[in-house]
Amino acid sequence: MVPKSQDYKADQIQVLEGLEAVRKRPAMYIGSTGESGLHHLVYEVVDNSVDEAMNGHCDTIEVFLHSDGSCSVKDNGRGIPVDIHDIYKVPAVEIVMTKLHAGGKFDSDTYKISGGLHGVGVSVVNALSTWVTVKINRDGGVFTQSYKKGIVASKLERIGDSDTHGTEVHFIPDDTIFETTKFEYSILKYRLRELAYLNAGVSITLSNEEGKSEVFKYEGGISEYVAYLNESKTALMSKPMFVSGEKDQVQVEAALQWTTAFRENIHTFTNNIATREGGTHLSGLKTALTRTINNVARKRKQLKEKDTALEGNDVREGLTAILSIKVPEPQFEGQTKTKLGNSEVKGIVDTIMTESLSNYFAENPSDSQLIISKCLQAFQAREAAKKARDLTRRKGILEGGGLPGKLADCQSKDPAISEIFIVEGDSAGGTAKQGRNRATQAILPLRGKILNVEKSRIDKILANTEVMALITAMGCSITGVEEEETFEIEKARYHKLIIMTDADVDGAHIRTLLLTFLYRHMKGLIDAGYVYVAQPPLYKVSKGKKLEYAYDDAQLQKVLANFGSGYSISRYKGLGEMNASQLWETTMDPNRRTLLQITIVDNELANKAFEELMGDDVQKRREFIEANATAVANLDI
Ligand code: 0RA
């Protein structure tokens, strides 16, 4: 279990610095003064409560969004100390709240969330709030104190007796600092749920004054997290395998479950912070997986002596895993400071994982059989993909060597002004070809439905003519072909890829298949802002020579009001119902059209969305489509 803290002594407070610096350069402490920085205020307070939980002092945290725009975070931890500091002669809580970095020096709790954007201390929240009120239950009493913009507004006051302990921090963000001060329930929800998964048994409630309320509490911790991530997949084990161990003050927890999927889905955390760029803990896990599975496969004779060893990619195919470690002094590196650098961690994770994996495989022979068969299939598919790749490479297809026959290219060779329309069907493709501005607009008609890449391995993807035509036309290759990245955004032949499909169910399906492919294998195009969806009109309204288009029902009503009586309406079901000049006027002309740009708001949500939408579980897919009916209509993922 977690080491117990020694008794707190107020005079252990060491580093003291005022809060002026925080108000002067807020972004340095919370990342930004936009929406993300605003929500960091809540996470900062919650992280302090979670610190209490991680060290075994707290099991309940409640976050409440008040209708005046304030937020309160209440926990049942030890309570911020209220006794008078020997040297500073003020209550300790006053120092915690008004001095930078005071918190971390208080006691000898081993695991503090320090580093990254969090862990700057609750005083930063105070500095960036119009007002804060803390209420503490501790030492037999209830105590409260208020602050304004980080400065003490009232002395610490004992307002009653209490036999419990805990802290409540109530604050309202300073609107002279933040661009927006409105807390978004949905943004908070995901991080709080993640924290609840990472800290098994800790109950985290999120509520607002309008009566919305959710409790996140997972007795199963990260195992439950893995089961949740695998909801829309077919698992190869009845339940996730759970690993836990500790060495040299480093705690390691992992949950793993293989599925029939083709992608790996591994999330790593250090002291509850998502380490998106991976690091030494992830390396340790990967090493242990590759070595152990090869050993077991050989021992079980599923891998023959003459066979070459399975590679990392093979053993991780279809694996969903959470690796959560706690380190006393984490070092975060990398571009976004989300890569764990502590070198000692690799060996520790490797040792703990190797032992647990070996035991698991020994104790669960039927699961082992399935998992290793899956790894062998991945291995064989990789060999097949290599052949397909060599073939396409020889033809120069991935690099855009010969352009596909059915591409009607534009005349411009300048990608910045060139566009490619991906059009559903040959007939609409023909119309688009006639209607386009051939100087800058290329047309690629796709026949029928493209492959669902969510359910296909790379060898099958490379063998699909429609997908290959798209890859070849774009000229920038794709990701996921081999370990070394081959995707090169600089080689993109068009800076606008415009999906133009019918406004019906089939059109929506084709659009989704295309977006799935782009998200999984050409995500760089989406990140660069190159991917768009065309918006063809739904209605044509005419009266004599007068003609107008409407793109939705609301607009139709407006148009009709303008026309008065005696008009005729026609509803477009497909692109094919328009002639070339109508298609140009309504959908393709850069001066008149509207395009929807595809952006990814949240990577993890997008990942899950594609899995549910395109995955194995029909029920999940139905739920997703029902819950996102309007979003799917707009497809702004
Ligand atoms: C300083 C020292 C101790 C606890 C805390 C701060 C503390 C801060 C927050 C912020 C929100 N909830 C919190 N709970 C605790 C340790 C006190 C001890 O050793 O008793």
Side-chain angles (χ1 to χ4, degrees):
M1 255 314 283
V2 240
K4 186 90 187 82
S5 83
Q6 278 149 25
D7 284 343
Y8 143 83
K9 290 194 186 64
D11 59 9
Q12 279 176 300
I13 305 168
Q14 287 159 358
V15 182
L16 298 177
E17 209 187 299
L19 294 177
E20 308 76 43
V22 182
R23 289 187 61 85
K24 222 176 265 170
R25 305 186 65 189
M28 254 190 68
Y29 298 87
I30 50 160
S32 79
T33 53
E35 192 164 62
S36 151
L38 176 77
H39 291 88
H40 262 111
L41 296 182
V42 182
Y43 305 147
E44 186 52 50
V45 185
V46 171
D47 281 351
N48 280 274
S49 303
V50 171
D51 274 349
E52 288 289 287
M54 278 204 298
N55 290 286
H57 307 296
C58 162
D59 67 6
T60 307
I61 302 167
E62 289 168 48
V63 178
F64 194 90
L65 299 177
H66 302 259
S67 33
D68 64 357
S70 65
C71 169
S72 52
V73 179
K74 188 175 168 186
D75 67 49
N76 64 349
R78 289 167 296 179
I80 306 179
V82 291
D83 53 337
I84 302 292
H85 189 274
D86 279 357
I87 301 163
Y88 296 97
K89 311 289 181 208
V90 295
V93 55
E94 196 171 309
I95 294 168
V96 169
M97 294 304 294
T98 62
K99 303 285 181 219
L100 204 48
H101 292 307
K105 300 288 173 186
F106 257 89
D107 58 45
S108 61
D109 278 352
T110 312
Y111 308 106
K112 279 277 171 198
I113 298 176
S114 46
L117 285 173
H118 310 293
V120 283
V122 64
S123 64
V124 166
V125 177
N126 195 15
L128 303 176
S129 295
T130 307
W131 53 257
V132 172
T133 304
V134 286
K135 199 165 141 201
I136 295 154
N137 288 57
R138 197 187 156 110
D139 304 341
V142 187
F143 303 83
T144 181
Q145 184 169 35
S146 318
Y147 317 84
K148 287 195 169 119
K149 299 191 176 187
I151 296 163
V152 173
S154 70
K155 283 193 154 186
L156 183 72
E157 196 185 343
R158 190 180 193 282
I159 56 169
D161 298 331
S162 166
D163 54 6
T164 62
H165 51 87
T167 305
E168 182 174 349
V169 179
H170 187 182
F171 67 99
I172 190 157
D174 188 339
D175 59 7
T176 65
I177 300 241
F178 291 96
E179 289 143 42
T180 163
T181 51
K182 193 178 178 317
F183 291 119
E184 288 297 333
Y185 188 97
S186 59
I187 294 180
L188 294 171
K189 171 177 169 166
Y190 289 100
R191 171 62 180 158
L192 297 180
R193 189 175 61 188
E194 179 176 272
L195 277 171
Y197 274 126
L198 291 169
N199 296 276
V202 177
S203 161
I204 305 183
T205 306
L206 173 62
S207 326
N208 66 16
E209 207 149 345
E210 285 89 65
K212 212 162 153 184
S213 181
E214 281 164 287
V215 184
F216 306 113
K217 184 178 185 205
Y218 307 103
E219 292 300 346
I222 58 173
S223 297
E224 251 185 278
Y225 201 177
V226 166
Y228 161 75
L229 291 172
N230 281 347
E231 262 178 5
S232 59
K233 300 180 187 169
T234 310
L236 293 176
M237 307 141 78
S238 52
K239 57 180 202 302
M241 116 186 215
F242 178 72
V243 175
S244 139
E246 182 173 344
K247 197 170 173 251
D248 302 336
Q249 287 204 344
V250 177
Q251 289 177 25
V252 178
E253 267 192 11
L256 301 89
Q257 190 178 37
W258 275 267
T259 70
T260 59
F262 300 125
R263 236 184 324 279
E264 61 178 76
N265 190 9
I266 305 179
H267 301 268
T268 63
F269 298 86
T270 300
N271 296 7
N272 289 328
I273 298 166
T275 29
R276 292 183 209 285
E277 296 171 275
T280 50
H281 51 346
L282 179 59
S283 304
L285 170 67
K286 286 184 174 179
T287 308
L289 277 168
T290 309
R291 189 192 319 106
T292 312
I293 291 188
N294 269 298
N295 285 346
V296 178
R298 296 237 187 249
K299 213 178 284 167
R300 298 174 58 95
K301 303 248 185 305
Q302 281 179 267
L303 195 62
K304 306 281 179 316
E305 239 165 81
K306 58 172 183 17
D307 295 339
T308 52
L310 299 168
E311 288 185 7
N313 278 345
D314 304 328
V315 305
R316 296 192 304 272
E317 189 183 278
L319 170 66
T320 301
I322 303 285
L323 172 64
S324 170
I325 71 159
K326 307 278 163 70
V327 198
E329 280 180 56
Q331 288 149 25
F332 293 104
E333 303 172 347
Q335 276 199 330
T336 56
K337 293 266 170 272
T338 58
K339 182 174 183 183
L340 186 68
N342 302 55
S343 55
E344 73 281 8
V345 168
K346 180 171 192 249
I348 295 174
V349 174
D350 185 356
T351 307
I352 292 173
M353 288 307 306
T354 298
E355 193 189 322
S356 305
L357 282 165
S358 306
N359 289 343
Y360 182 87
F361 285 117
E363 288 159 15
N364 298 276
S366 63
D367 282 1
S368 311
Q369 162 85 25
L370 283 176
I371 293 165
I372 290 163
S373 300
K374 164 78 174 165
C375 301
L376 289 168
Q377 280 166 29
F379 173 78
Q380 283 144 13
R382 183 166 52 81
E383 293 287 301
K386 207 166 147 241
K387 286 204 188 95
R389 189 173 65 234
D390 290 346
L391 198 69
T392 52
R393 169 93 34 79
R394 224 173 303 133
K395 291 195 206 147
I397 290 176
L398 284 176
E399 287 80 18
L403 292 169
K406 53 184 179 170
L407 172 73
D409 207 1
C410 56
Q411 290 157 338
S412 165
K413 294 282 167 263
D414 177 5
I417 59 162
S418 302
E419 312 178 335
I420 183 169
F421 283 82
I422 313 297
V423 188
E424 171 185 355
D426 285 338
S427 117
T431 315
K433 249 181 247 182
Q434 284 169 28
R436 69 174 170 154
N437 170 7
R438 66 169 60 234
T440 55
Q441 297 182 322
I443 310 292
L444 180 68
L446 292 184
R447 198 169 297 131
K449 301 218 163 137
I450 75 156
L451 188 73
N452 179 358
V453 298
E454 203 64 24
K455 290 185 176 178
S456 331
R457 273 205 190 92
I458 194 74
D459 54 332
K460 222 168 133 199
I461 296 171
L462 291 177
N464 182 273
T465 33
E466 304 306 294
V467 173
M468 282 312 296
L470 174 54
I471 300 173
T472 316
M474 280 312 293
C476 51
S477 190
I478 56 173
T479 57
V481 187
E482 48 198 320
E483 203 121 6
E484 221 175 282
E485 278 314 345
T486 53
F487 179 84
E488 286 178 278
I489 187 82
E490 305 76 32
K491 290 201 178 156
R493 300 180 63 246
Y494 315 91
H495 286 189
K496 280 201 175 73
L497 184 162
I498 304 166
I499 300 173
M500 190 160 72
T501 54
D502 291 345
D504 60 7
V505 179
D506 271 358
H509 191 197
I510 292 171
R511 188 172 58 193
T512 311
L513 288 164
L514 276 166
L515 287 171
T516 308
F517 168 70
L518 294 171
Y519 179 71
R520 293 301 183 197
H521 296 284
M522 294 181 135
K523 184 163 164 288
L525 291 180
I526 303 180
D527 293 338
Y530 291 179
V531 179
Y532 298 84
V533 172
Q535 297 285 87
L538 284 181
Y539 304 99
K540 180 172 87 173
V541 185
S542 58
K543 185 178 174 181
K545 280 196 168 158
K546 211 167 132 196
L547 180 85
E548 267 191 66
Y549 300 99
Y551 292 81
D552 57 39
D553 290 315
Q555 205 186 359
L556 176 66
Q557 294 314 317
K558 272 190 215 145
V559 172
L560 293 184
N562 270 341
F563 271 73
S565 62
Y567 52 75
S568 72
I569 309 176
S570 56
R571 194 191 152 98
Y572 289 116
K573 286 189 207 69
L575 299 168
E577 290 175 25
M578 277 183 264
N579 64 34
S581 64
Q582 285 170 335
L583 188 60
W584 163 255
E585 282 169 32
T586 58
T587 317
M588 296 175 72
D589 178 3
N591 294 318
R592 281 177 281 185
R593 72 189 177 194
T594 42
L595 294 180
L596 267 183
Q597 189 175 34
I598 301 298
T599 53
I600 297 163
V601 180
D602 182 309
N603 236 325
E604 269 154 55
L605 281 183
N607 183 43
K608 185 102 172 125
F610 279 112
E611 280 175 355
E612 291 189 355
L613 195 55
M614 312 306 283
D616 292 338
D617 188 333
V618 179
Q619 177 61 24
K620 274 275 153 227
R621 178 159 55 222
R622 188 167 305 138
E623 280 170 24
F624 182 91
I625 292 172
E626 278 165 14
N628 296 280
T630 47
V632 170
N634 281 306
L635 254 157
D636 195 358
I637 296 163

